[in-house]
Amino acid sequence: MSTSSYLTRRALLGATFATATLPYAAKGQEGRDPASQVPTDVRIRIIFNGMTMTATLYDNPSALELASMLPLDLKIEDYGKNEKIVYLPRKLTEEASGPFDNEQPGDLCYFKPWGNLARFYADYSWDGLIRLGRFDSGFDPLLVRGEFPVRIERI
Protein backbone atom coordinates (compact mmCIF):
# COMPACT_ATOMS: atom_id res chain seq x y z
CA MET A 1 0.00 0.00 0.00
CA SER A 2 1.45 3.38 -0.94
CA THR A 3 1.77 6.24 1.50
CA SER A 4 -0.71 8.40 -0.43
CA SER A 5 -3.43 5.73 -0.44
CA TYR A 6 -2.82 5.17 3.29
CA LEU A 7 -3.30 8.90 3.99
CA THR A 8 -6.38 9.01 1.76
CA ARG A 9 -7.87 6.00 3.55
CA ARG A 10 -7.04 7.56 6.94
CA ALA A 11 -8.64 10.88 5.90
CA LEU A 12 -11.73 9.05 4.63
CA LEU A 13 -12.09 7.10 7.88
CA GLY A 14 -11.59 10.29 9.92
CA ALA A 15 -14.20 12.16 7.91
CA THR A 16 -16.64 9.26 8.26
CA PHE A 17 -16.11 9.15 12.01
CA ALA A 18 -16.53 12.94 12.32
CA THR A 19 -19.70 12.89 10.24
CA ALA A 20 -21.16 10.08 12.34
CA THR A 21 -20.35 11.65 15.70
CA LEU A 22 -21.02 15.32 14.97
CA PRO A 23 -24.82 15.09 15.44
CA TYR A 24 -24.27 13.42 18.83
CA ALA A 25 -21.77 16.07 19.90
CA ALA A 26 -24.22 18.79 18.91
CA LYS A 27 -27.02 17.02 20.79
CA GLY A 28 -24.77 16.93 23.86
CA GLN A 29 -24.80 20.73 23.83
CA GLU A 30 -28.60 20.93 23.88
CA GLY A 31 -29.93 22.44 27.07
CA ARG A 32 -26.97 24.79 27.29
CA ASP A 33 -28.85 27.56 25.52
CA PRO A 34 -29.21 30.44 27.99
CA ALA A 35 -32.63 31.22 26.54
CA SER A 36 -33.73 27.66 27.20
CA GLN A 37 -36.74 27.42 29.44
CA VAL A 38 -36.38 23.70 29.92
CA PRO A 39 -36.85 23.11 33.64
CA THR A 40 -34.82 20.53 35.51
CA ASP A 41 -35.93 18.54 38.53
CA VAL A 42 -33.78 20.87 40.67
CA ARG A 43 -35.85 23.10 42.92
CA ILE A 44 -34.74 25.62 45.50
CA ARG A 45 -36.42 27.22 48.49
CA ILE A 46 -35.84 30.87 49.38
CA ILE A 47 -36.81 31.90 52.91
CA PHE A 48 -36.80 35.50 54.15
CA ASN A 49 -38.98 37.75 56.34
CA GLY A 50 -41.01 34.73 57.48
CA MET A 51 -42.01 33.92 53.88
CA THR A 52 -41.03 31.05 51.61
CA MET A 53 -40.71 30.97 47.84
CA THR A 54 -39.72 28.09 45.60
CA ALA A 55 -38.15 28.14 42.16
CA THR A 56 -37.41 25.52 39.53
CA LEU A 57 -33.99 25.86 37.95
CA TYR A 58 -33.37 25.62 34.21
CA ASP A 59 -30.90 23.36 32.48
CA ASN A 60 -27.85 25.58 32.21
CA PRO A 61 -24.39 25.44 33.81
CA SER A 62 -24.90 28.58 35.92
CA ALA A 63 -28.14 27.32 37.47
CA LEU A 64 -26.67 23.93 38.25
CA GLU A 65 -23.59 25.55 39.78
CA LEU A 66 -25.85 27.64 42.01
CA ALA A 67 -27.57 24.46 43.17
CA SER A 68 -24.19 22.92 44.03
CA MET A 69 -23.41 25.87 46.36
CA LEU A 70 -26.52 25.42 48.49
CA PRO A 71 -27.42 25.90 51.28
CA LEU A 72 -26.54 29.58 51.63
CA ASP A 73 -27.33 32.06 54.40
CA LEU A 74 -26.99 35.56 52.96
CA LYS A 75 -28.87 38.86 52.73
CA ILE A 76 -31.63 39.89 50.31
CA GLU A 77 -32.21 43.57 49.55
CA ASP A 78 -34.11 45.88 47.25
CA TYR A 79 -32.47 47.02 44.05
CA GLY A 80 -34.30 49.51 41.90
CA LYS A 81 -38.05 49.35 41.46
CA ASN A 82 -38.34 45.86 40.01
CA GLU A 83 -36.09 43.41 41.82
CA LYS A 84 -34.43 42.10 44.94
CA ILE A 85 -30.83 40.96 44.86
CA VAL A 86 -28.62 38.58 46.80
CA TYR A 87 -24.83 38.88 46.63
CA LEU A 88 -23.34 35.42 46.22
CA PRO A 89 -20.08 34.45 47.97
CA ARG A 90 -18.46 33.85 44.56
CA LYS A 91 -19.24 34.27 40.88
CA LEU A 92 -20.97 31.53 38.92
CA THR A 93 -19.78 30.16 35.62
CA GLU A 94 -20.84 32.14 32.59
CA GLU A 95 -20.53 29.15 30.28
CA ALA A 96 -23.33 29.10 27.71
CA SER A 97 -24.46 32.60 28.62
CA GLY A 98 -25.94 34.88 26.05
CA PRO A 99 -28.93 37.07 25.34
CA PHE A 100 -32.45 35.83 25.88
CA ASP A 101 -35.84 37.35 25.28
CA ASN A 102 -39.30 37.11 26.82
CA GLU A 103 -38.18 38.55 30.15
CA GLN A 104 -40.99 38.50 32.67
CA PRO A 105 -41.69 39.01 36.36
CA GLY A 106 -40.98 35.83 38.29
CA ASP A 107 -37.61 35.20 36.61
CA LEU A 108 -34.64 34.21 38.71
CA CYS A 109 -31.48 35.54 37.05
CA TYR A 110 -27.77 35.96 37.56
CA PHE A 111 -26.07 39.33 36.93
CA LYS A 112 -22.82 38.43 35.21
CA PRO A 113 -20.95 41.70 35.86
CA TRP A 114 -21.62 41.79 39.61
CA GLY A 115 -22.04 38.13 40.53
CA ASN A 116 -25.39 38.37 42.28
CA LEU A 117 -28.82 36.81 42.02
CA ALA A 118 -31.65 38.98 40.79
CA ARG A 119 -35.27 38.13 41.56
CA PHE A 120 -37.60 40.14 39.35
CA TYR A 121 -41.13 41.12 40.40
CA ALA A 122 -41.74 43.66 37.60
CA ASP A 123 -40.80 44.10 33.96
CA TYR A 124 -37.09 44.22 33.19
CA SER A 125 -34.61 44.05 30.35
CA TRP A 126 -30.84 43.73 30.66
CA ASP A 127 -28.20 42.16 28.43
CA GLY A 128 -25.85 41.01 31.20
CA LEU A 129 -28.11 38.34 32.69
CA ILE A 130 -28.29 34.58 32.71
CA ARG A 131 -31.77 33.23 33.43
CA LEU A 132 -31.47 30.52 36.10
CA GLY A 133 -35.12 29.59 36.52
CA ARG A 134 -38.62 30.72 37.46
CA PHE A 135 -40.54 31.05 40.68
CA ASP A 136 -43.07 28.26 41.04
CA SER A 137 -46.02 29.99 42.65
CA GLY A 138 -45.74 33.71 42.27
CA PHE A 139 -43.41 36.31 43.67
CA ASP A 140 -45.53 38.25 46.18
CA PRO A 141 -42.89 38.01 48.96
CA LEU A 142 -40.55 40.06 46.75
CA LEU A 143 -42.96 42.99 46.90
CA VAL A 144 -42.16 43.57 50.59
CA ARG A 145 -39.55 46.35 50.64
CA GLY A 146 -36.51 46.05 52.89
CA GLU A 147 -33.37 44.12 53.64
CA PHE A 148 -33.60 40.70 55.26
CA PRO A 149 -31.49 37.66 56.10
CA VAL A 150 -32.21 35.00 53.47
CA ARG A 151 -31.70 31.26 53.37
CA ILE A 152 -31.49 29.55 50.00
CA GLU A 153 -31.55 25.76 50.01
CA ARG A 154 -32.10 22.90 47.65
CA ILE A 155 -35.39 21.06 48.05
Side-chain angles (χ1 to χ4, degrees), residues 54-73:
T54 61
T56 299
L57 299 183
Y58 290 155
D59 185 21
N60 69 55
S62 302
L64 299 178
E65 184 176 3
L66 171 65
S68 74
M69 294 171 60
L70 301 179
L72 291 170
D73 291 301

Side-chain angles (χ1 to χ4, degrees), residues 20-72:
T21 59
L22 197 54
Y24 296 104
K27 186 165 180 67
Q29 294 300 310
E30 287 180 8
R32 300 299 184 209
D33 175 5
S36 170
Q37 294 186 32
V38 176
T40 63
D41 60 351
V42 179
R43 294 182 61 229
I44 62 173
R45 180 181 0 243
I46 301 142
I47 305 162
F48 68 96
N49 193 30
M51 297 177 278
T52 300
M53 302 176 66
T54 61
T56 299
L57 299 183
Y58 290 155
D59 185 21
N60 69 55
S62 302
L64 299 178
E65 184 176 3
L66 171 65
S68 74
M69 294 171 60
L70 301 179
L72 291 170

Side-chain angles (χ1 to χ4, degrees), residues 4-152:
S4 64
S5 66
Y6 176 74
L7 290 177
T8 304
R9 183 176 285 173
R10 178 181 253 179
L12 181 63
L13 285 172
T16 302
F17 177 73
T19 302
T21 59
L22 197 54
Y24 296 104
K27 186 165 180 67
Q29 294 300 310
E30 287 180 8
R32 300 299 184 209
D33 175 5
S36 170
Q37 294 186 32
V38 176
T40 63
D41 60 351
V42 179
R43 294 182 61 229
I44 62 173
R45 180 181 0 243
I46 301 142
I47 305 162
F48 68 96
N49 193 30
M51 297 177 278
T52 300
M53 302 176 66
T54 61
T56 299
L57 299 183
Y58 290 155
D59 185 21
N60 69 55
S62 302
L64 299 178
E65 184 176 3
L66 171 65
S68 74
M69 294 171 60
L70 301 179
L72 291 170
D73 291 301
L74 301 168
K75 177 176 66 170
I76 190 169
E77 59 190 79
D78 298 319
Y79 190 84
K81 298 178 182 177
N82 63 346
E83 67 187 284
K84 284 196 177 295
I85 61 170
V86 173
Y87 293 97
L88 294 174
R90 66 175 172 80
K91 287 192 166 198
L92 300 177
T93 182
E94 294 178 15
E95 178 186 339
S97 68
F100 60 88
D101 57 8
N102 74 340
E103 298 96 336
Q104 53 191 315
D107 283 344
L108 172 62
C109 296
Y110 175 69
F111 270 119
K112 294 186 292 186
W114 300 288
N116 57 30
L117 295 180
R119 294 159 166 85
F120 290 99
Y121 54 84
D123 291 336
Y124 72 97
S125 180
W126 182 262
D127 291 339
L129 296 170
I130 298 172
R131 186 172 14 215
L132 303 176
R134 295 263 318 145
F135 293 108
D136 296 328
S137 53
F139 48 85
D140 286 345
L142 297 177
L143 300 174
V144 177
R145 305 286 294 169
E147 184 177 298
F148 306 97
V150 64
R151 176 152 178 98
I152 306 170

